[in-house]
Amino acid sequence: MPSKDITDLKIGVLGGGQLGRMMIQSAISYNLDISILDPDENAPCAHLVKDFTVGKLTDDQVVYEWGKDFDLITIEIENVSVSALQKLQKDGVSVFPQPEIIELIQDKRKQKTFYKANRISTSNFVLTEGAADVAKNKEMLPAVNKLGTEGYDGRGVQMIRTEADLGKAFDKPGLLEELVDFEKELSVVVARNQRGEIDCFPVVELSYHPEQNLVEFLFAPAQISAESEKKAYDLAKDVIEKLDMVGLLAVEMFLTKDGEVLINEVAPRTHNSGHHTIEANRTSQFEQHLRAILNMPLGSTELISPAAMVNLLGEDGFTGNALYEGMEACMAMKGVYVHLYGKKLTKPFRKMGHVTITDDSVESLKKNARTVKETLKVKA
Ligand code: ADP
């Protein structure tokens, strides 16, 4: 990192979606100079920075040419040109998270192989080259079949419960994992700066919508034993250390019914499971990411108030210019914070915003989270 004042650094962010948008909100407080590259001229960040470039994030030439001007480059999405980032790094640009980590995480096969090689607890799996390979592993059923690349938000994941399901198996390189009989899904957002300081945000628990495979509710802190909590922190710290990563890492985990904590997957960036930290913690995940990549002291991750988070998804059956129904009723509720991502067009289940709910009582949190979910709707 060049020895400049942080306000003099030119910082480039690959991706201009909602994560970039919330990163900009934090960057303003420190007067940081942020530029964005995104393929969509109407992306959520489009009008928020003076230097917004339209270009394909996976195009080596586009990313390299764009990136040459910066002191520091980071990401808000991992589907970017790794070879361009490697070249930029060689030219002296700081890139965090490091390109080789982005490359590892782009492919679930490489990710799982890394966990196994580094003795990080994860469900058993086999690598498969196509549907015929999946069918050769009948003894593993019921199992979860995942595409190596191209999958996100549950789209590259399928349950293969019985032999009858084998016919629908993806026919591309992937992996077949043992189905984990989990008690809860947990997430720990952990940060590490170049000095090697590591700090975890409190463990959160997530419940996924059964059909959409997207987070339906998040609760912080997770209602788990102190022992499980310690296992979750130890796992998150172990992974970021073994990756030797600088930046923010979201570690998704399963708490099994017999009290084991297994890693599912990680994201080397700010994450949906850390959105509540904007209001509920002393430091938000967006600020923490900036602190980590700028090699500044990490902020306190302490929870100020228990919180819930609800994703605001486009209502099924509505496509077109977004209209928000129930806004006034939500804004009248105590401790309810609405975040809209500025996406003009809604479509079924598109992430259009999120709502954080804070309350001292876990019971009221659950109740208010349900009320928000039933009240606030995105239609067209
Ligand atoms: P994505 O990268 O698309 O989010 P994940 O690998 O996180 O995909 O899987 C999506 C969801 O599928 C998980 O949150 C979990 O609910 C379920 N799932 C994934 N792997 C397993 C597994 N081995 N056992 C049980 N459920 C799983």
Side-chain angles (χ1 to χ4, degrees):
M1 169 83 53
S3 55
K4 280 187 183 175
D5 185 89
I6 57 169
T7 57
D8 292 330
L9 295 173
K10 281 182 70 70
I11 305 169
V13 182
L14 289 168
Q18 63 262 23
L19 300 175
R21 188 172 163 108
M22 292 183 269
M23 198 191 295
I24 291 169
Q25 282 183 312
S26 282
I28 290 170
S29 304
Y30 292 95
N31 195 29
L32 300 176
D33 177 6
I34 302 269
S35 302
I36 303 269
L37 179 71
D38 192 279
D40 178 3
E41 60 178 3
N42 294 315
C45 291
H47 305 291
L48 301 180
V49 286
K50 67 175 187 291
D51 183 15
F52 179 88
T53 307
V54 177
K56 207 171 161 198
L57 301 172
T58 50
D59 185 309
D60 298 351
Q61 199 57 26
V62 167
V63 173
Y64 181 69
E65 289 303 324
W66 169 83
K68 286 197 292 197
D69 292 339
F70 300 108
D71 298 300
L72 170 64
I73 292 180
T74 191
I75 58 165
E76 62 110 57
I77 181 168
E78 52 269 19
N79 196 14
V80 298
S81 164
V82 168
S83 62
L85 290 177
Q86 278 166 333
K87 233 167 117 190
L88 288 163
Q89 203 181 35
K90 279 206 191 91
D91 292 353
V93 179
S94 298
V95 182
F96 296 124
Q98 303 92 315
E100 67 274 14
I101 295 167
I102 302 174
E103 187 176 32
L104 180 85
I105 283 150
Q106 281 176 346
D107 189 341
K108 283 183 199 266
R109 289 157 58 96
K110 290 186 186 160
Q111 229 191 101
K112 280 288 261 193
T113 306
F114 175 86
Y115 301 143
K116 196 173 170 191
N118 285 280
R119 293 189 300 281
I120 297 168
S121 302
T122 194
S123 60
N124 287 323
F125 68 99
V126 288
L127 297 181
T128 51
E129 300 307 319
D133 250 3
V134 175
K136 280 185 206 149
N137 290 285
K138 289 190 190 96
E139 73 289 348
M140 275 180 74
L141 304 187
V144 184
N145 193 32
K146 299 185 179 182
L147 284 178
T149 56
E150 299 166 39
Y152 64 96
D153 283 348
R155 263 170 257 195
V157 173
Q158 55 184 192
M159 296 291 161
I160 308 279
R161 292 192 183 277
T162 62
E163 286 190 32
D165 293 335
L166 285 169
K168 67 166 191 194
F170 300 128
D171 197 17
K172 283 186 178 168
L175 66 154
L176 191 68
E177 279 181 25
E178 270 175 17
L179 184 76
V180 179
D181 185 18
F182 58 79
E183 170 90 35
K184 287 187 175 186
E185 292 198 61
L186 307 175
S187 172
V188 174
V189 174
V190 57
R192 182 168 173 270
N193 61 17
Q194 282 179 73
R195 304 170 214 179
E197 290 165 359
I198 296 182
D199 213 341
C200 294
F201 282 92
V203 191
V204 301
E205 62 180 85
L206 306 159
S207 61
Y208 283 78
H209 189 283
E211 285 148 43
Q212 300 148 13
N213 239 326
L214 289 166
V215 173
E216 187 169 30
F217 293 110
L218 166 148
F219 294 101
Q223 304 293 299
I224 55 174
S225 69
E227 196 188 338
S228 298
E229 198 176 41
K230 183 174 180 315
K231 284 184 187 168
Y233 292 135
D234 288 348
L235 178 63
K237 287 184 192 161
D238 191 34
V239 183
I240 202 163
E241 245 165 16
K242 284 180 173 154
L243 285 170
D244 195 19
M245 187 189 133
V246 172
L248 202 76
L249 185 74
V251 185
E252 294 182 38
M253 312 169 182
F254 298 120
L255 173 63
T256 67
K257 291 194 172 140
D258 45 15
E260 254 193 295
V261 176
L262 305 176
I263 194 163
N264 175 27
E265 62 167 2
V266 299
R269 52 167 169 79
T270 55
H271 191 253
N272 200 187
S273 63
H275 288 353
H276 64 290
T277 59
I278 297 174
E279 288 89 7
N281 296 63
R282 296 209 183 277
T283 308
S284 80
Q285 64 162 344
F286 300 97
E287 174 167 340
Q288 193 77 318
H289 177 70
L290 292 169
R291 284 172 176 253
I293 63 171
L294 290 164
N295 204 23
M296 285 286 146
L298 298 177
S300 164
T301 54
E302 192 186 350
L303 198 68
I304 305 168
S305 162
M309 193 277 307
V310 179
N311 278 325
L312 185 55
L313 305 177
E315 200 67 10
D316 200 4
F318 294 87
T319 300
N321 284 339
L323 295 173
Y324 300 90
E325 196 182 280
M327 197 71 150
E328 203 174 325
C330 284
M331 287 173 71
M333 290 168 74
K334 184 181 157 207
V336 169
Y337 304 91
V338 177
H339 295 254
L340 301 183
Y341 298 155
K343 298 178 184 173
K344 209 169 157 194
L345 292 181
T346 184
K347 44 188 175 188
F349 311 122
R350 185 172 193 202
K351 278 185 188 159
M352 301 298 287
H354 75 265
V355 184
T356 297
I357 301 116
T358 58
D359 201 294
D360 294 336
S361 127
V362 173
E363 281 320 301
S364 325
L365 263 185
K366 293 201 165 155
K367 191 171 143 272
N368 290 348
R370 285 241 163 254
T371 306
V372 166
K373 174 125 185 134
E374 282 155 18
T375 310
L376 192 55
K377 305 273 179 197
V378 191
K379 297 184 176 172

